[in-house]
Amino acid sequence: MCLVGLTVGQLLEQSAARYADNDALIVPYQGLRWSYGELNRQADEMAAGLLALGFAPGDRLGIWAPNMAEWVALQFATAKAGLILVNINPAYRLAELEYALTQTGVRGLITVPTFKTSDYIAMLNELMPELAGSKPGQLKAQKIPSLRWIITLGETATPGAITHEEVRAGATNATRVQVQTLGLALQFDDPINIQFTSGTTGRPKAATLTHHNIVNNALFTGLQMKLNHEDRMCIPVPMYHCFGMVLGTLCCVAHGATMVFASPGFDAESTMRVVETERCSALHGVPTMFIAALDSPGFAERDLTSLRTGIIAGAPCPAELMKRIMSEMHMDQITIAYGMTETGPVSTQTTVDDPVARRVETVGRVLPHTEIKIVDDKGHITPRGTPGELLTRGYCVMPKYWNDPEKTASAIDEARWIASGDIATVDDEGYFQIVGRIKDMLIRGGENIFPREIEDFLYTHPAIEQVEVIGAPDQKYGEEVCAWIRLREGHTATEEEIRAFCKGQIAHFKIPRYIRFVDEFPMTITGKVQKFVMRAQMAQELEQAKMEGTQ
């Protein structure tokens, strides 16, 4: 399969021409169904409306909102207008929002008034007290000097803002013609999207992606799933993340499939209900989402036979969970994908035709037109089967971190390789396994221990629903193995029983010294477990126990 030289806007135009009357987007909670022809019209009109406000190609426009139809229209509208869409995590608070807006120099921000417990308008007024007294388009905020426009996704605008519908209504014949002209002039190597990395250490980095990065990545990942215009994909992963907007919406558009949003934020019961009622054939998610889906009310009674494929990514998927998904959710063609935001995002993926063992135990093989190497701590390529850090090169690698040449230079070397921070192996057939994170690897008395190996074993215990292994500080060994465990409903277990289960099955130094039974794990909004939070909590707990003499 060759690389395609299309922009995001041209990709939608292509699918709208082929599948004009097919369902493109279904959002039951909004009572909305758009055909591909309608989605294209919505994107064109919004693009023309933005240009009428004075936005110009290259301007940055932030979006701070949950999954909804308007998000999809804006994804393609900004691309058609040549604007760079800046994805902002709905969970961000004032300090994080201020950093994201100033780092990228946004000219406009689109937001919902509220979501869950967040009052976005109140936060904006606190960050920018000048907003309420400003005329729309004339905002001059001291803290965000580049910002001029606040656009709300609602029926009424807050003082100083304009509504999404007012933007669309402002489109003119001249700006409609300009949208068509730009469609021919924009280049596929132009930057089109800025996504912030998780920022678990230090400030989040503004990964800047081009049309070429994400269009081709969406195309190739869909091919791995054998996605086509008859498929319906439920997308519970957030749109601000590359999982939602590249592997979700863009992947569907690349193959003419239907996008389905069950709820604005992930809700397991709503997701399963909509998969059933809309007869979805594909479902994406991180492992914790699938765990929640399997445990959702009424799951056993649902007819999920329409499901066949999808992507599990974002975090390692335990083998036992993968087996449950394939059997209990009928997803016998589920795929595993691996990558990072900076690589568009997928570098490796399994296929629907791979043997079950490969889809359970590996993250697949490298995608077309992408290179991967595994190196030791000296930067030398390791022999096959030997763990090392995984590096990626190819069309998928971002050009830069926005407005941060120093971090860009430290991330991407002169040969255009970008390091992942993940420890991996590759076998003789080219299948990759992710065995851990460099920062997650723990060293106990000189022994390198990869938490993933212990987690995979503990998942075979019938009482364990979810387990996360971390390193806890230890005066004698440097670090000790610590397991946080969430038990299945109706099951019980003790620390002694868990250790007895491990004895004779894994090496003695891998058996958890510390075991904590928990009801939940600290997580990001995308469902990734925050192990750095767990490590900090354990360090504090052990220090307190030491002071009290109870350790």
Side-chain angles (χ1 to χ4, degrees), residues 21-36 38-39 67-70 72 229-236 249 252 257-264 274-275 277-281:
D21 297 326
N22 287 19
D23 286 337
L25 179 64
I26 299 173
V27 189
Y29 83 88
Q30 290 184 287
L32 180 147
R33 290 173 185 265
W34 285 345
S35 67
Y36 265 98
E38 180 61 23
L39 173 58
N67 289 10
M68 56 198 307
E70 292 85 351
V72 181
H229 66 280
E230 295 181 345
D231 281 307
R232 291 180 172 225
M233 180 190 292
C234 185
I235 307 169
T249 57
C252 284
T258 303
M259 302 163 264
V260 182
F261 289 166
S263 52
V274 169
V275 165
T277 57
E278 294 296 337
R279 307 304 295 158
C280 293
S281 55

mmCIF file of all heavy atoms in Angstrom, residues 21-36 38-39 67-70 72 229-236 249 252 257-264 274-275 277-281:
data_model
loop_
_atom_site.group_PDB
_atom_site.id
_atom_site.type_symbol
_atom_site.label_atom_id
_atom_site.label_comp_id
_atom_site.label_asym_id
_atom_site.label_seq_id
_atom_site.Cartn_x
_atom_site.Cartn_y
_atom_site.Cartn_z
ATOM 1 N N ASP A 21 -24.591 9.230 0.563
ATOM 2 C CA ASP A 21 -25.818 8.952 1.311
ATOM 3 C C ASP A 21 -25.620 7.984 2.473
ATOM 4 O O ASP A 21 -26.565 7.724 3.231
ATOM 5 C CB ASP A 21 -26.890 8.401 0.363
ATOM 6 C CG ASP A 21 -27.281 9.415 -0.704
ATOM 7 O OD1 ASP A 21 -27.271 10.620 -0.393
ATOM 8 O OD2 ASP A 21 -27.575 9.002 -1.840
ATOM 9 N N ASN A 22 -24.437 7.439 2.615
ATOM 10 C CA ASN A 22 -24.166 6.519 3.725
ATOM 11 C C ASN A 22 -24.079 7.281 5.048
ATOM 12 O O ASN A 22 -23.685 8.445 5.078
ATOM 13 C CB ASN A 22 -22.847 5.775 3.494
ATOM 14 C CG ASN A 22 -22.956 4.727 2.411
ATOM 15 O OD1 ASN A 22 -23.865 4.757 1.588
ATOM 16 N ND2 ASN A 22 -22.003 3.811 2.385
ATOM 17 N N ASP A 23 -24.432 6.595 6.137
ATOM 18 C CA ASP A 23 -24.270 7.209 7.459
ATOM 19 C C ASP A 23 -22.795 7.492 7.719
ATOM 20 O O ASP A 23 -21.951 6.597 7.621
ATOM 21 C CB ASP A 23 -24.790 6.273 8.552
ATOM 22 C CG ASP A 23 -26.305 6.207 8.594
ATOM 23 O OD1 ASP A 23 -26.955 7.159 8.117
ATOM 24 O OD2 ASP A 23 -26.834 5.195 9.094
ATOM 25 N N ALA A 24 -22.515 8.742 8.080
ATOM 26 C CA ALA A 24 -21.146 9.109 8.462
ATOM 27 C C ALA A 24 -21.020 9.205 9.968
ATOM 28 O O ALA A 24 -20.050 8.724 10.553
ATOM 29 C CB ALA A 24 -20.754 10.441 7.818
ATOM 30 N N LEU A 25 -22.005 9.826 10.613
ATOM 31 C CA LEU A 25 -21.913 10.092 12.047
ATOM 32 C C LEU A 25 -23.271 9.895 12.704
ATOM 33 O O LEU A 25 -24.277 10.451 12.253
ATOM 34 C CB LEU A 25 -21.425 11.526 12.289
ATOM 35 C CG LEU A 25 -21.299 11.992 13.734
ATOM 36 C CD1 LEU A 25 -20.250 11.180 14.489
ATOM 37 C CD2 LEU A 25 -20.957 13.478 13.792
ATOM 38 N N ILE A 26 -23.297 9.100 13.772
ATOM 39 C CA ILE A 26 -24.513 8.868 14.555
ATOM 40 C C ILE A 26 -24.204 9.212 16.015
ATOM 41 O O ILE A 26 -23.274 8.664 16.598
ATOM 42 C CB ILE A 26 -24.971 7.398 14.449
ATOM 43 C CG1 ILE A 26 -25.292 7.041 12.986
ATOM 44 C CG2 ILE A 26 -26.170 7.143 15.342
ATOM 45 C CD1 ILE A 26 -25.598 5.571 12.776
ATOM 46 N N VAL A 27 -24.982 10.128 16.564
ATOM 47 C CA VAL A 27 -24.822 10.511 17.970
ATOM 48 C C VAL A 27 -26.200 10.432 18.620
ATOM 49 O O VAL A 27 -26.942 11.426 18.674
ATOM 50 C CB VAL A 27 -24.231 11.925 18.117
ATOM 51 C CG1 VAL A 27 -23.881 12.207 19.582
ATOM 52 C CG2 VAL A 27 -23.002 12.099 17.235
ATOM 53 N N PRO A 28 -26.582 9.256 19.127
ATOM 54 C CA PRO A 28 -27.925 9.083 19.687
ATOM 55 C C PRO A 28 -28.258 10.062 20.803
ATOM 56 O O PRO A 28 -29.393 10.545 20.899
ATOM 57 C CB PRO A 28 -27.912 7.637 20.192
ATOM 58 C CG PRO A 28 -26.890 6.952 19.347
ATOM 59 C CD PRO A 28 -25.838 7.984 19.110
ATOM 60 N N TYR A 29 -27.302 10.395 21.651
ATOM 61 C CA TYR A 29 -27.628 11.268 22.785
ATOM 62 C C TYR A 29 -27.899 12.703 22.324
ATOM 63 O O TYR A 29 -28.504 13.499 23.059
ATOM 64 C CB TYR A 29 -26.530 11.207 23.852
ATOM 65 C CG TYR A 29 -25.334 12.096 23.628
ATOM 66 C CD1 TYR A 29 -25.320 13.406 24.081
ATOM 67 C CD2 TYR A 29 -24.195 11.618 22.984
ATOM 68 C CE1 TYR A 29 -24.222 14.226 23.892
ATOM 69 C CE2 TYR A 29 -23.084 12.422 22.795
ATOM 70 C CZ TYR A 29 -23.111 13.730 23.243
ATOM 71 O OH TYR A 29 -22.016 14.536 23.056
ATOM 72 N N GLN A 30 -27.491 13.049 21.097
ATOM 73 C CA GLN A 30 -27.830 14.343 20.523
ATOM 74 C C GLN A 30 -28.988 14.233 19.525
ATOM 75 O O GLN A 30 -29.392 15.247 18.944
ATOM 76 C CB GLN A 30 -26.612 14.953 19.815
ATOM 77 C CG GLN A 30 -25.501 15.416 20.740
ATOM 78 C CD GLN A 30 -24.373 16.103 19.977
ATOM 79 O OE1 GLN A 30 -23.595 15.459 19.281
ATOM 80 N NE2 GLN A 30 -24.300 17.422 20.104
ATOM 81 N N GLY A 31 -29.482 13.007 19.310
ATOM 82 C CA GLY A 31 -30.551 12.799 18.342
ATOM 83 C C GLY A 31 -30.131 13.143 16.931
ATOM 84 O O GLY A 31 -30.916 13.690 16.147
ATOM 85 N N LEU A 32 -28.899 12.793 16.571
ATOM 86 C CA LEU A 32 -28.325 13.270 15.313
ATOM 87 C C LEU A 32 -27.799 12.129 14.450
ATOM 88 O O LEU A 32 -27.158 11.203 14.948
ATOM 89 C CB LEU A 32 -27.181 14.240 15.647
ATOM 90 C CG LEU A 32 -26.401 14.888 14.519
ATOM 91 C CD1 LEU A 32 -25.956 16.281 14.939
ATOM 92 C CD2 LEU A 32 -25.170 14.038 14.159
ATOM 93 N N ARG A 33 -28.081 12.221 13.166
ATOM 94 C CA ARG A 33 -27.531 11.298 12.164
ATOM 95 C C ARG A 33 -27.160 12.115 10.930
ATOM 96 O O ARG A 33 -28.035 12.741 10.329
ATOM 97 C CB ARG A 33 -28.546 10.216 11.795
ATOM 98 C CG ARG A 33 -28.810 9.203 12.882
ATOM 99 C CD ARG A 33 -29.944 8.246 12.519
ATOM 100 N NE ARG A 33 -30.216 7.377 13.651
ATOM 101 C CZ ARG A 33 -29.691 6.156 13.815
ATOM 102 N NH1 ARG A 33 -28.891 5.662 12.880
ATOM 103 N NH2 ARG A 33 -29.965 5.434 14.877
ATOM 104 N N TRP A 34 -25.887 12.089 10.580
ATOM 105 C CA TRP A 34 -25.416 12.794 9.384
ATOM 106 C C TRP A 34 -24.916 11.787 8.364
ATOM 107 O O TRP A 34 -24.177 10.852 8.693
ATOM 108 C CB TRP A 34 -24.274 13.742 9.723
ATOM 109 C CG TRP A 34 -24.675 14.995 10.426
ATOM 110 C CD1 TRP A 34 -25.936 15.515 10.550
ATOM 111 C CD2 TRP A 34 -23.799 15.908 11.104
ATOM 112 N NE1 TRP A 34 -25.899 16.690 11.266
ATOM 113 C CE2 TRP A 34 -24.610 16.957 11.612
ATOM 114 C CE3 TRP A 34 -22.425 15.946 11.325
ATOM 115 C CZ2 TRP A 34 -24.072 18.028 12.336
ATOM 116 C CZ3 TRP A 34 -21.884 17.003 12.034
ATOM 117 C CH2 TRP A 34 -22.701 18.038 12.540
ATOM 118 N N SER A 35 -25.283 12.004 7.111
ATOM 119 C CA SER A 35 -24.698 11.242 6.012
ATOM 120 C C SER A 35 -23.319 11.836 5.710
ATOM 121 O O SER A 35 -22.960 12.915 6.214
ATOM 122 C CB SER A 35 -25.580 11.337 4.771
ATOM 123 O OG SER A 35 -25.573 12.683 4.289
ATOM 124 N N TYR A 36 -22.560 11.166 4.848
ATOM 125 C CA TYR A 36 -21.260 11.730 4.459
ATOM 126 C C TYR A 36 -21.433 13.046 3.718
ATOM 127 O O TYR A 36 -20.644 13.990 3.886
ATOM 128 C CB TYR A 36 -20.459 10.718 3.618
ATOM 129 C CG TYR A 36 -19.504 9.927 4.480
ATOM 130 C CD1 TYR A 36 -19.839 8.663 4.926
ATOM 131 C CD2 TYR A 36 -18.287 10.467 4.878
ATOM 132 C CE1 TYR A 36 -18.972 7.948 5.740
ATOM 133 C CE2 TYR A 36 -17.414 9.766 5.696
ATOM 134 C CZ TYR A 36 -17.762 8.503 6.128
ATOM 135 O OH TYR A 36 -16.913 7.802 6.946
ATOM 136 N N GLU A 38 -23.828 15.219 4.242
ATOM 137 C CA GLU A 38 -24.163 16.233 5.234
ATOM 138 C C GLU A 38 -22.953 16.620 6.072
ATOM 139 O O GLU A 38 -22.749 17.804 6.376
ATOM 140 C CB GLU A 38 -25.292 15.729 6.141
ATOM 141 C CG GLU A 38 -25.723 16.716 7.216
ATOM 142 C CD GLU A 38 -26.258 18.022 6.661
ATOM 143 O OE1 GLU A 38 -26.709 18.063 5.488
ATOM 144 O OE2 GLU A 38 -26.224 19.031 7.407
ATOM 145 N N LEU A 39 -22.140 15.646 6.476
ATOM 146 C CA LEU A 39 -20.929 15.962 7.238
ATOM 147 C C LEU A 39 -20.028 16.888 6.436
ATOM 148 O O LEU A 39 -19.474 17.859 6.967
ATOM 149 C CB LEU A 39 -20.179 14.679 7.608
ATOM 150 C CG LEU A 39 -18.801 14.870 8.274
ATOM 151 C CD1 LEU A 39 -18.911 15.683 9.563
ATOM 152 C CD2 LEU A 39 -18.150 13.520 8.562
ATOM 153 N N ASN A 67 -16.782 14.499 23.540
ATOM 154 C CA ASN A 67 -17.193 13.912 22.263
ATOM 155 C C ASN A 67 -18.608 14.358 21.883
ATOM 156 O O ASN A 67 -19.555 14.138 22.641
ATOM 157 C CB ASN A 67 -17.151 12.384 22.341
ATOM 158 C CG ASN A 67 -15.741 11.846 22.396
ATOM 159 O OD1 ASN A 67 -14.792 12.602 22.569
ATOM 160 N ND2 ASN A 67 -15.595 10.545 22.249
ATOM 161 N N MET A 68 -18.731 14.952 20.724
ATOM 162 C CA MET A 68 -20.019 15.418 20.225
ATOM 163 C C MET A 68 -19.894 15.657 18.724
ATOM 164 O O MET A 68 -18.781 15.712 18.186
ATOM 165 C CB MET A 68 -20.449 16.700 20.954
ATOM 166 C CG MET A 68 -19.439 17.817 20.874
ATOM 167 S SD MET A 68 -19.666 19.135 22.130
ATOM 168 C CE MET A 68 -21.359 19.579 21.907
ATOM 169 N N ALA A 69 -21.045 15.784 18.067
ATOM 170 C CA ALA A 69 -21.032 15.928 16.614
ATOM 171 C C ALA A 69 -20.242 17.156 16.175
ATOM 172 O O ALA A 69 -19.510 17.121 15.167
ATOM 173 C CB ALA A 69 -22.465 16.025 16.097
ATOM 174 N N GLU A 70 -20.371 18.239 16.920
ATOM 175 C CA GLU A 70 -19.682 19.476 16.535
ATOM 176 C C GLU A 70 -18.165 19.310 16.518
ATOM 177 O O GLU A 70 -17.471 19.950 15.739
ATOM 178 C CB GLU A 70 -20.077 20.607 17.498
ATOM 179 C CG GLU A 70 -21.521 21.041 17.384
ATOM 180 C CD GLU A 70 -22.495 20.200 18.190
ATOM 181 O OE1 GLU A 70 -22.082 19.145 18.721
ATOM 182 O OE2 GLU A 70 -23.674 20.599 18.302
ATOM 183 N N VAL A 72 -16.516 16.673 15.555
ATOM 184 C CA VAL A 72 -16.162 16.045 14.278
ATOM 185 C C VAL A 72 -16.218 17.067 13.148
ATOM 186 O O VAL A 72 -15.312 17.153 12.312
ATOM 187 C CB VAL A 72 -17.085 14.854 13.980
ATOM 188 C CG1 VAL A 72 -16.695 14.193 12.659
ATOM 189 C CG2 VAL A 72 -17.039 13.842 15.117
ATOM 190 N N HIS A 229 -16.871 0.442 4.203
ATOM 191 C CA HIS A 229 -18.014 1.350 4.271
ATOM 192 C C HIS A 229 -19.252 0.707 4.897
ATOM 193 O O HIS A 229 -20.230 1.411 5.171
ATOM 194 C CB HIS A 229 -18.355 1.879 2.875
ATOM 195 C CG HIS A 229 -18.857 0.821 1.940
ATOM 196 N ND1 HIS A 229 -18.010 -0.046 1.276
ATOM 197 C CD2 HIS A 229 -20.117 0.482 1.577
ATOM 198 C CE1 HIS A 229 -18.736 -0.862 0.530
ATOM 199 N NE2 HIS A 229 -20.011 -0.565 0.696
ATOM 200 N N GLU A 230 -19.224 -0.571 5.163
ATOM 201 C CA GLU A 230 -20.358 -1.226 5.823
ATOM 202 C C GLU A 230 -20.180 -1.306 7.338
ATOM 203 O O GLU A 230 -21.094 -1.706 8.055
ATOM 204 C CB GLU A 230 -20.559 -2.634 5.244
ATOM 205 C CG GLU A 230 -20.954 -2.629 3.771
ATOM 206 C CD GLU A 230 -21.169 -4.020 3.220
ATOM 207 O OE1 GLU A 230 -20.737 -4.986 3.899
ATOM 208 O OE2 GLU A 230 -21.742 -4.144 2.131
ATOM 209 N N ASP A 231 -19.005 -0.943 7.830
ATOM 210 C CA ASP A 231 -18.724 -1.016 9.268
ATOM 211 C C ASP A 231 -19.281 0.195 10.011
ATOM 212 O O ASP A 231 -19.363 1.305 9.463
ATOM 213 C CB ASP A 231 -17.216 -1.111 9.516
ATOM 214 C CG ASP A 231 -16.674 -2.511 9.290
ATOM 215 O OD1 ASP A 231 -17.228 -3.448 9.891
ATOM 216 O OD2 ASP A 231 -15.716 -2.666 8.509
ATOM 217 N N ARG A 232 -19.634 -0.044 11.275
ATOM 218 C CA ARG A 232 -20.026 1.025 12.191
ATOM 219 C C ARG A 232 -19.113 0.946 13.402
ATOM 220 O O ARG A 232 -19.056 -0.089 14.064
ATOM 221 C CB ARG A 232 -21.484 0.869 12.629
ATOM 222 C CG ARG A 232 -22.487 1.115 11.511
ATOM 223 C CD ARG A 232 -23.915 0.940 12.006
ATOM 224 N NE ARG A 232 -24.856 1.355 10.982
ATOM 225 C CZ ARG A 232 -25.926 2.119 11.195
ATOM 226 N NH1 ARG A 232 -26.200 2.523 12.420
ATOM 227 N NH2 ARG A 232 -26.724 2.456 10.210
ATOM 228 N N MET A 233 -18.414 2.027 13.686
ATOM 229 C CA MET A 233 -17.443 2.034 14.778
ATOM 230 C C MET A 233 -17.929 2.882 15.941
ATOM 231 O O MET A 233 -18.188 4.071 15.781
ATOM 232 C CB MET A 233 -16.094 2.580 14.298
ATOM 233 C CG MET A 233 -15.018 2.622 15.381
ATOM 234 S SD MET A 233 -13.550 3.518 14.867
ATOM 235 C CE MET A 233 -12.896 2.421 13.603
ATOM 236 N N CYS A 234 -18.043 2.266 17.117
ATOM 237 C CA CYS A 234 -18.344 3.009 18.332
ATOM 238 C C CYS A 234 -17.030 3.576 18.876
ATOM 239 O O CYS A 234 -16.049 2.842 19.044
ATOM 240 C CB CYS A 234 -19.007 2.108 19.370
ATOM 241 S SG CYS A 234 -19.536 3.008 20.851
ATOM 242 N N ILE A 235 -17.027 4.886 19.147
ATOM 243 C CA ILE A 235 -15.808 5.585 19.559
ATOM 244 C C ILE A 235 -15.998 6.170 20.958
ATOM 245 O O ILE A 235 -16.424 7.317 21.119
ATOM 246 C CB ILE A 235 -15.456 6.703 18.554
ATOM 247 C CG1 ILE A 235 -15.387 6.143 17.126
ATOM 248 C CG2 ILE A 235 -14.139 7.385 18.928
ATOM 249 C CD1 ILE A 235 -15.298 7.203 16.050
ATOM 250 N N PRO A 236 -15.700 5.394 22.011
ATOM 251 C CA PRO A 236 -15.837 5.911 23.372
ATOM 252 C C PRO A 236 -14.585 6.630 23.870
ATOM 253 O O PRO A 236 -14.619 7.272 24.920
ATOM 254 C CB PRO A 236 -16.096 4.644 24.192
ATOM 255 C CG PRO A 236 -15.360 3.573 23.455
ATOM 256 C CD PRO A 236 -15.408 3.949 21.995
ATOM 257 N N THR A 249 -12.362 8.815 14.266
ATOM 258 C CA THR A 249 -13.070 9.510 13.195
ATOM 259 C C THR A 249 -12.314 9.494 11.866
ATOM 260 O O THR A 249 -12.894 9.222 10.814
ATOM 261 C CB THR A 249 -13.369 10.963 13.594
ATOM 262 O OG1 THR A 249 -12.160 11.629 13.925
ATOM 263 C CG2 THR A 249 -14.297 11.009 14.787
ATOM 264 N N CYS A 252 -12.354 6.101 10.214
ATOM 265 C CA CYS A 252 -13.660 5.826 9.605
ATOM 266 C C CYS A 252 -13.803 6.550 8.278
ATOM 267 O O CYS A 252 -14.246 5.957 7.272
ATOM 268 C CB CYS A 252 -14.784 6.248 10.555
ATOM 269 S SG CYS A 252 -15.054 5.121 11.938
ATOM 270 N N ALA A 257 -16.468 4.264 6.741
ATOM 271 C CA ALA A 257 -17.237 3.633 7.816
ATOM 272 C C ALA A 257 -18.038 4.683 8.588
ATOM 273 O O ALA A 257 -17.830 5.886 8.446
ATOM 274 C CB ALA A 257 -16.301 2.874 8.750
ATOM 275 N N THR A 258 -18.952 4.213 9.424
ATOM 276 C CA THR A 258 -19.817 5.094 10.215
ATOM 277 C C THR A 258 -19.232 5.297 11.607
ATOM 278 O O THR A 258 -18.827 4.345 12.267
ATOM 279 C CB THR A 258 -21.227 4.491 10.355
ATOM 280 O OG1 THR A 258 -21.760 4.269 9.049
ATOM 281 C CG2 THR A 258 -22.148 5.416 11.131
ATOM 282 N N MET A 259 -19.201 6.558 12.062
ATOM 283 C CA MET A 259 -18.741 6.901 13.404
ATOM 284 C C MET A 259 -19.945 6.950 14.341
ATOM 285 O O MET A 259 -20.978 7.520 13.988
ATOM 286 C CB MET A 259 -18.058 8.275 13.398
ATOM 287 C CG MET A 259 -16.887 8.386 12.453
ATOM 288 S SD MET A 259 -16.447 10.124 12.117
ATOM 289 C CE MET A 259 -17.331 10.404 10.569
ATOM 290 N N VAL A 260 -19.801 6.396 15.539
ATOM 291 C CA VAL A 260 -20.894 6.393 16.513
ATOM 292 C C VAL A 260 -20.360 6.855 17.868
ATOM 293 O O VAL A 260 -19.389 6.297 18.378
ATOM 294 C CB VAL A 260 -21.515 4.980 16.662
ATOM 295 C CG1 VAL A 260 -22.679 5.024 17.650
ATOM 296 C CG2 VAL A 260 -21.979 4.450 15.309
ATOM 297 N N PHE A 261 -20.993 7.889 18.437
ATOM 298 C CA PHE A 261 -20.658 8.359 19.784
ATOM 299 C C PHE A 261 -21.781 7.960 20.730
ATOM 300 O O PHE A 261 -22.935 8.350 20.522
ATOM 301 C CB PHE A 261 -20.507 9.885 19.830
ATOM 302 C CG PHE A 261 -19.281 10.422 19.141
ATOM 303 C CD1 PHE A 261 -19.173 11.770 18.861
ATOM 304 C CD2 PHE A 261 -18.240 9.593 18.771
ATOM 305 C CE1 PHE A 261 -18.048 12.293 18.242
ATOM 306 C CE2 PHE A 261 -17.112 10.092 18.145
ATOM 307 C CZ PHE A 261 -17.011 11.447 17.879
ATOM 308 N N ALA A 262 -21.460 7.205 21.760
ATOM 309 C CA ALA A 262 -22.482 6.759 22.710
ATOM 310 C C ALA A 262 -22.774 7.792 23.781
ATOM 311 O O ALA A 262 -23.897 7.888 24.276
ATOM 312 C CB ALA A 262 -22.046 5.451 23.369
ATOM 313 N N SER A 263 -21.778 8.583 24.157
ATOM 314 C CA SER A 263 -21.931 9.550 25.247
ATOM 315 C C SER A 263 -20.810 10.573 25.140
ATOM 316 O O SER A 263 -19.787 10.316 24.498
ATOM 317 C CB SER A 263 -21.880 8.842 26.606
ATOM 318 O OG SER A 263 -20.731 8.021 26.713
ATOM 319 N N PRO A 264 -20.965 11.762 25.769
ATOM 320 C CA PRO A 264 -19.915 12.777 25.671
ATOM 321 C C PRO A 264 -18.598 12.350 26.312
ATOM 322 O O PRO A 264 -17.528 12.672 25.814
ATOM 323 C CB PRO A 264 -20.520 13.999 26.369
ATOM 324 C CG PRO A 264 -21.748 13.534 27.049
ATOM 325 C CD PRO A 264 -22.154 12.227 26.467
ATOM 326 N N VAL A 274 -25.409 1.306 23.108
ATOM 327 C CA VAL A 274 -25.375 1.852 21.747
ATOM 328 C C VAL A 274 -24.733 0.874 20.768
ATOM 329 O O VAL A 274 -25.165 0.765 19.619
ATOM 330 C CB VAL A 274 -24.657 3.222 21.747
ATOM 331 C CG1 VAL A 274 -24.356 3.682 20.324
ATOM 332 C CG2 VAL A 274 -25.503 4.259 22.472
ATOM 333 N N VAL A 275 -23.722 0.136 21.217
ATOM 334 C CA VAL A 275 -23.155 -0.915 20.363
ATOM 335 C C VAL A 275 -24.245 -1.895 19.954
ATOM 336 O O VAL A 275 -24.334 -2.304 18.792
ATOM 337 C CB VAL A 275 -22.001 -1.650 21.094
ATOM 338 C CG1 VAL A 275 -21.668 -2.965 20.381
ATOM 339 C CG2 VAL A 275 -20.761 -0.766 21.159
ATOM 340 N N THR A 277 -27.734 -1.399 20.062
ATOM 341 C CA THR A 277 -28.856 -0.832 19.304
ATOM 342 C C THR A 277 -28.459 -0.370 17.912
ATOM 343 O O THR A 277 -29.250 -0.461 16.976
ATOM 344 C CB THR A 277 -29.483 0.357 20.067
ATOM 345 O OG1 THR A 277 -28.481 1.345 20.320
ATOM 346 C CG2 THR A 277 -30.079 -0.109 21.385
ATOM 347 N N GLU A 278 -27.214 0.112 17.756
ATOM 348 C CA GLU A 278 -26.763 0.576 16.445
ATOM 349 C C GLU A 278 -26.031 -0.507 15.658
ATOM 350 O O GLU A 278 -25.569 -0.252 14.550
ATOM 351 C CB GLU A 278 -25.852 1.805 16.600
ATOM 352 C CG GLU A 278 -26.546 3.038 17.143
ATOM 353 C CD GLU A 278 -27.628 3.571 16.207
ATOM 354 O OE1 GLU A 278 -27.559 3.277 14.993
ATOM 355 O OE2 GLU A 278 -28.542 4.269 16.695
ATOM 356 N N ARG A 279 -25.953 -1.685 16.229
ATOM 357 C CA ARG A 279 -25.307 -2.837 15.571
ATOM 358 C C ARG A 279 -23.891 -2.487 15.111
ATOM 359 O O ARG A 279 -23.508 -2.689 13.946
ATOM 360 C CB ARG A 279 -26.147 -3.339 14.393
ATOM 361 C CG ARG A 279 -27.599 -3.656 14.715
ATOM 362 C CD ARG A 279 -27.725 -4.664 15.852
ATOM 363 N NE ARG A 279 -27.192 -5.980 15.504
ATOM 364 C CZ ARG A 279 -26.797 -6.883 16.399
ATOM 365 N NH1 ARG A 279 -26.844 -6.609 17.705
ATOM 366 N NH2 ARG A 279 -26.345 -8.049 16.007
ATOM 367 N N CYS A 280 -23.110 -1.968 16.047
ATOM 368 C CA CYS A 280 -21.724 -1.595 15.726
ATOM 369 C C CYS A 280 -20.886 -2.847 15.483
ATOM 370 O O CYS A 280 -21.033 -3.856 16.177
ATOM 371 C CB CYS A 280 -21.123 -0.775 16.859
ATOM 372 S SG CYS A 280 -21.903 0.835 17.061
ATOM 373 N N SER A 281 -19.997 -2.745 14.520
ATOM 374 C CA SER A 281 -19.108 -3.870 14.201
ATOM 375 C C SER A 281 -17.696 -3.645 14.715
ATOM 376 O O SER A 281 -16.887 -4.572 14.746
ATOM 377 C CB SER A 281 -19.072 -4.100 12.685
ATOM 378 O OG SER A 281 -18.702 -2.905 12.008
#
